[in-house]
Amino acid sequence: MREPERTLRTSVKSWRWVRRPVWIVAVAFTLRITVMGVLLANNPLSWGVNEPAGIARALVQGRGFSSAFHDANWATAWVAPVYPGLLACIFRFFGIETAASAEVAISLNVIFSSLTAVVLIRLGTEQFGEAAGIVAGWAWAMAPPLLFIPWLPWETCLSALVLAVGFRTTMRLAGNSRLREWAGCGAIWSLGALLNPAILAPLPALAIDAGVYSRRWKGPALMIAVCVLGVLPWTARNFRALGKVVPVRSNFWPEVYFGNVDFSLHPTGNSMLYQREGEIQFASDLRSRTLGFLSSQPGSFARLTRDRIVAFWTQPSQQRPYPACLFFLALGGVVQAWRRKKRWVGFLSVLVLYPVVYYITSVFTRHRHPIEPLMYVLAGYALCELFSGSRRLREEIISHLVPRPGAQSPPPAAAG
């Protein structure tokens, strides 16, 4: 074997660890836990205004799923139940809203975020090839904006993990999948609904795409049915506790009002309107006020919606142009998947449908995070295609400019 070939193979072998998910997860965990340690060392921990924590406190104290806000000790559906339940377990062992419980919640976020890397590696590999999966995994592990997300004691990191798992499971379903696999996928989506209902926005489109791909409709119908059945017990609880049909959360119209009309009536403030009216009457009151605003000032609503659409894909402003680059690379991945006849409809449906509720309410950086694993997969695929295309172009140019070894030179032109 020639020396250059032996050197090349040795080099490739020595870099095999780069392809191993365990190393990617280890790096993701190490970077995140280091950043959390620095933040903890320089910032005093405080739960502050945190609706899930307020509900978790009530659960631990035996008052049920209630007390989302100050001076409001009644049943609530303002927040989906999974994350407050998780916080209640933490409070049970580490104290109610203590610094230790905050550290545990943040550590769990680090674990959720690190494990998400495994899911997107598998998803990228299955849909676009190993290179796309590995690039997406390393980008997820090391991207600076993602290192700070676990600091927020909310369901954000867990939502990203559950959405990625649900999406990958749905994309893996095929014509030979058993009905129990379809049902299991529906159970994952029902967990997502009880964690963050916005996750369900692209589910109908994903079910249709899965039906077209598998050429069977019994499976998608079963998946949707299991998802609905998984949510029904919580809906029944809300009807019993609140006296109104509330599928998961009760705060849609209030959030539309806060994002478009006035934030001063928010229950965390001093208006006390929520505390006087109660949750259901408060939501109905703000619904009427919101509809009045929409009918009288449609132009203002349109302008605010436009600004939120831009903000959703470019937040946070301190990190520009990174979010915008991720957005355009993700779109490039969708275009390349369409051109290469790979599955792109599911990815596009998530990018289009998931943000709609935030376009009309409010936008924070954490709102986009649940779909960012899919964006990193698409961006990784786009980068791989870009690199591959540039390499092919370079080889074609070289082949035209440099004659191949052994190729005959063109005959000299005859003298005139």
Side-chain angles (χ1 to χ4, degrees):
M1 182 184 296
R2 291 179 298 176
E3 187 63 28
E5 293 181 6
R6 183 182 296 107
T7 303
L8 179 60
R9 292 191 178 186
T10 303
S11 177
V12 170
K13 185 177 181 180
S14 64
W15 282 88
R16 283 181 180 175
W17 63 272
V18 174
R19 299 163 53 186
R20 295 179 179 175
V22 64
W23 285 107
I24 298 176
V25 173
V27 171
F29 180 84
T30 302
L31 291 176
R32 282 159 174 76
I33 205 68
T34 301
V35 170
M36 294 305 102
V38 172
L39 291 176
L40 287 170
N42 293 276
N43 296 273
L45 274 176
S46 173
W47 284 92
V49 178
N50 188 299
E51 293 96 314
I55 297 171
R57 178 177 61 247
L59 287 170
V60 173
Q61 293 175 346
R63 293 182 284 118
F65 201 89
S66 64
S67 309
F69 303 103
H70 65 88
D71 300 305
N73 298 320
W74 50 71
T76 182
W78 195 271
V79 178
V82 169
Y83 194 69
L86 176 61
L87 288 183
C89 294
I90 296 174
F91 289 174
R92 177 72 70 179
F93 293 99
F94 297 94
I96 297 175
E97 295 185 333
T98 61
S101 64
E103 292 175 4
V104 173
I106 292 171
S107 299
L108 284 177
N109 285 343
V110 169
I111 294 172
F112 296 147
S113 183
S114 302
L115 291 178
T116 303
V118 178
V119 183
L120 64 88
I121 292 169
R122 301 303 185 196
L123 176 62
T125 300
E126 292 163 1
Q127 299 299 322
F128 305 124
E130 183 184 26
I134 296 301
V135 170
W138 279 109
W140 179 268
M142 303 178 67
L146 301 179
L147 304 183
F148 297 89
I149 293 293
W151 179 254
L152 302 173
W154 288 81
E155 41 67 41
T156 309
C157 293
L158 183 56
S159 291
L161 176 59
V162 172
L163 177 56
V165 172
F167 184 86
R168 182 195 172 214
T169 305
T170 305
M171 296 290 282
R172 287 170 59 88
L173 296 172
N176 60 351
S177 297
R178 300 177 181 179
L179 289 178
R180 66 184 181 186
E181 294 177 285
W182 290 92
C185 185
I188 296 173
W189 286 109
S190 67
L191 172 63
L194 297 174
L195 176 66
N196 177 3
I199 288 176
L200 285 191
L203 181 58
L206 292 175
I208 293 174
D209 179 58
V212 172
Y213 179 74
S214 63
R215 297 184 179 180
R216 57 185 300 189
W217 296 101
K218 185 182 296 185
L222 178 62
M223 179 176 69
I224 297 293
V226 169
C227 178
V228 172
L229 289 173
V231 175
L232 276 181
W234 180 249
T235 305
R237 174 267 174 193
N238 290 341
F239 182 76
R240 185 178 66 253
L242 304 174
K244 186 176 180 180
V245 176
V246 178
V248 181
R249 298 178 65 174
S250 62
N251 65 333
F252 172 74
W253 285 108
E255 294 297 340
V256 178
Y257 179 86
F258 301 146
N260 293 277
V261 186
D262 186 11
F263 192 80
S264 65
L265 297 182
H266 197 280
T268 57
N270 298 321
S271 71
M272 302 299 288
L273 182 63
Y274 173 90
Q275 286 78 359
R276 290 195 303 269
E277 293 185 339
E279 186 163 303
I280 296 302
Q281 181 59 38
F282 178 76
S284 178
D285 184 4
L286 266 58
R287 176 180 180 274
S288 300
R289 298 185 189 213
T290 302
L291 293 176
F293 168 79
L294 295 178
S295 62
S296 63
Q297 302 185 51
S300 297
F301 175 72
R303 287 191 295 272
L304 289 169
T305 301
R306 177 201 61 196
D307 294 342
R308 282 188 291 265
I309 292 173
V310 174
F312 185 89
W313 300 108
T314 58
Q315 290 274 13
S317 58
Q318 299 87 345
Q319 296 172 355
R320 291 176 183 171
Y322 185 89
C325 290
L326 176 62
F327 170 67
F328 286 112
L329 281 173
L331 286 185
V334 172
V335 172
Q336 285 296 327
W338 170 70
R339 290 182 64 242
R340 302 291 183 184
K341 301 187 183 304
K342 297 181 181 293
R343 295 187 67 183
W344 58 274
V345 174
F347 287 94
L348 183 62
S349 67
V350 174
L351 298 183
V352 171
L353 297 176
Y354 170 84
V356 171
V357 67
Y358 300 112
Y359 291 163
I360 62 177
T361 54
S362 59
V363 170
F364 297 99
T365 303
R366 67 182 181 87
H367 291 159
R368 188 185 63 239
H369 187 71
I371 64 172
E372 286 184 338
L374 308 189
M375 296 178 67
Y376 273 81
V377 169
L378 291 168
Y381 177 54
L383 289 174
C384 289
E385 286 291 304
L386 182 64
F387 177 78
S388 177
S390 64
R391 183 177 59 184
R392 287 195 299 267
L393 179 61
R394 184 172 66 251
E395 291 175 351
E396 290 179 4
I397 293 174
I398 293 176
S399 66
H400 282 83
L401 295 179
V402 181
R404 296 177 181 177
Q408 295 182 354
S409 301

